[in-house]
C-alpha cells in the first residue's frame, strides 16, 4: 500500500563540466553565511562594530571544520581504518561526516584566537553567534538528506524518508527522517535563545550555554532513534553520553556564571586599535608640522635680526658724515 513520504534525491552531486557541485557542501556553506549574517546583526545591536563577527569567523570556521571531521573520524574509525577500508576516505569531507562536538570545540579555539587578536571577550562573541550556529546546523542537516544518511528506524508515518541507495550497506525502505527532526529542533533552539536573550539579558556566555544545553536535549532523543553504526557504552550510543555530559556542563556554567557575573557586558568591543593608531599618527604629524613651522619662524626672525644688525653701521656712518659737515660750516 502506497503512503506519503519524503523522497530522497536521486543523487547528491551535480557536475558543471568538470566541477562537481555537492549538495552537502552547499548546505554547510549556506549555514555558515546565515550564522555570520545573524551574528553580525546581534553583535552590532550589542554595541559591536560591523564586520567583527566575520573577521573572527575567518578563524573559527576552518578550525570548526577540522575539529568536526576529526571527531567523526576518531569516533567512527572503523569506517576508515578497519580491514578492507581506504584510509584516504577520511579526508573526503564532501561525502559527509562532521561531528558537531568537535566542530564546536575546535571552532571555539579558532574564535578565541580571533577574539584575542581584536581584544574582544570570547563569551560575548559566542552569545551573539549562538542562535546563528543553531540555524547553521538546521541548514547543514539537509546535507545528510542529499547523501541519504543518518536516518532513523523504519516507519510508515506520512513523513517517512524514502531511502533508495544501496551503497555502504544501506537497505532501501522508509525510515524516520532524523535529519529533519534535528533540523526543526535547531530552528526551535535558535528562537529560544533569541527570546531568552531579549527577556533575561543574557551575557558572559550564558546565551551560548543555553544553546548548547537545548541542543543536547534534542540530540539525545534523536540519537536514540538513529540506526546507523555507532559505538555503544552501557547500551547507549556514544553521542548520547556526550549529550548528557555536555548538557550538565552547560547548565552548571549558566548557574555559576549568573551568580558570579550577573547581567550583561556593557562594552563588548573596545575602540578599534587601527583608529587609535591613526589618531596618534595624526597627532604626531600635527606636532611635526608645528615644530617645522616654529623652526621656520625662528629662522626668519634670526634673518631679520641679522639684517638689522648689518644695516645699523651704515646709518651710523651717515650720521657721522652729517655731523662733520655741520662742524665745518
Amino acid at each position: 500500500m502506497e503512503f506519503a513520504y519524503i523522497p530522497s534525491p536521486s543523487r547528491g552531486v551535480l557536475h558543471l563540466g568538470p566541477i562537481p557541485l555537492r549538495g552537502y557542501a552547499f548546505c554547510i556553506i549556506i549555514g555558515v553565511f546565515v550564522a555570520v549574517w545573524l551574528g553580525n546583526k546581534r553583535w552590532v545591536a550589542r554595541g559591536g562594530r560591523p564586520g567583527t563577527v566575520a573577521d573572527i569567523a575567518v578563524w573559527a570556521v576552518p578550525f570548526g571544520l577540522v575539529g568536526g571531521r576529526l571527531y567523526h573520524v576518531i569516533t567512527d574509525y572503523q569506517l576508515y581504518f578497519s580491514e578492507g577500508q581506504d584510509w584516504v576516505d577520511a579526508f573526503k569531507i564532501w561525502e559527509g561526516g562532521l561531528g558537531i562536538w568537535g566542530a564546536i570545540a575546535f571552532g571555539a579555539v579558532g574564535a578565541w584566537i580571533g577574539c584575542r587578536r581584536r581584544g574582544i571577550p570570547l563569551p560575548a562573541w559566542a552569545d551573539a553567534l549562538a542562535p546563528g550556529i543553531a540555524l547553521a546546523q538546521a541548514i547543514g542537516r539537509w546535507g545528510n538528506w542529499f547523501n541519504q544518511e543518518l536516518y532513523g528506524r523504519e516507519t510508515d508515518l506520512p513523513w517517512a524518508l524514502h531511502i533508495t541507495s544501496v551503497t555502504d550497506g544501506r537497505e532501501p525502505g522508509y525510515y524516520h527522517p532524523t535529519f529533519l527532526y534535528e533540523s526543526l529542533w535547531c530552528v526551535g533552539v535558535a528562537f529560544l535563545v533569541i527570546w531568552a536573550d531579549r527577556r533575561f539579558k543574557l551575557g558572559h556566555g550564558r546565551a551560548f550555554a543555553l544553546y548548547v544545553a537545548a541542543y543536547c536535549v534534542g540530540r539525545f532523543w534523536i540519537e536514540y532513534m538513529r540506526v546507523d553504526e555507532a559505538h555503544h557504552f552501557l547500551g547507549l550510543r556514544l553521542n548520547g553520553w556526550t549529550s548528557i555530559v555536555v548538557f550538565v556542563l552547560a547548565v552548571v556554567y549558566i548557574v555559576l556564571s549568573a551568580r558570579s557575573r550577573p547581567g550583561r557586558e556593557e562594552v563588548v568591543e573596545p575602540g578599534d586599535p587601527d583608529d587609535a593608531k591613526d589618531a596618534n599618527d595624526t597627532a604626531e604629524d600635527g606636532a611635526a608640522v608645528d615644530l617645522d613651522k616654529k623652526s621656520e619662524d625662528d629662522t626668519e626672525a634670526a634673518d631679520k635680526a641679522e639684517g638689522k644688525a648689518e644695516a645699523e653701521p651704515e646709518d651710523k656712518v651717515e650720521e657721522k658724515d652729517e655731523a662733520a659737515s655741520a662742524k665745518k660750516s
Side-chain angles (χ1 to χ4, degrees), residues 41-156:
K41 290 178 65 68
R42 287 171 51 80
W43 182 253
V44 172
R46 293 189 60 178
R49 299 174 184 273
T52 297
V53 169
D55 291 342
I56 298 175
V58 170
W59 289 90
V61 172
F63 273 75
L65 291 175
V66 172
R69 188 60 175 179
L70 280 176
Y71 180 89
H72 167 72
V73 172
I74 292 173
T75 55
D76 291 310
Y77 61 87
Q78 72 281 356
L79 300 177
Y80 308 101
F81 303 106
S82 60
E83 185 178 355
Q85 302 295 333
D86 187 358
W87 62 272
V88 176
D89 291 341
F91 297 95
K92 297 179 180 179
I93 191 174
W94 55 86
E95 293 183 355
L98 287 175
I100 185 60
W101 315 112
I104 293 297
F106 274 63
V109 174
W112 176 80
I113 296 174
C115 287
R116 187 175 178 82
R117 290 169 59 89
R118 296 292 295 265
I120 293 171
L122 175 61
W125 185 85
D127 283 343
L129 205 66
I133 295 176
L135 290 179
Q137 288 180 252
I139 297 171
R141 274 307 177 198
W142 284 86
N144 301 132
W145 176 67
F146 279 101
N147 287 349
Q148 296 197 37
E149 60 185 359
L150 305 187
Y151 44 85
R153 297 187 295 269
E154 287 190 291
T155 181
D156 58 357

Side-chain angles (χ1 to χ4, degrees), residues 13 60 98 157 187 229 235 241 277:
V13 56
L98 287 175
L157 292 172
V187 172
E229 185 177 357
W241 284 110
K277 182 179 179 182

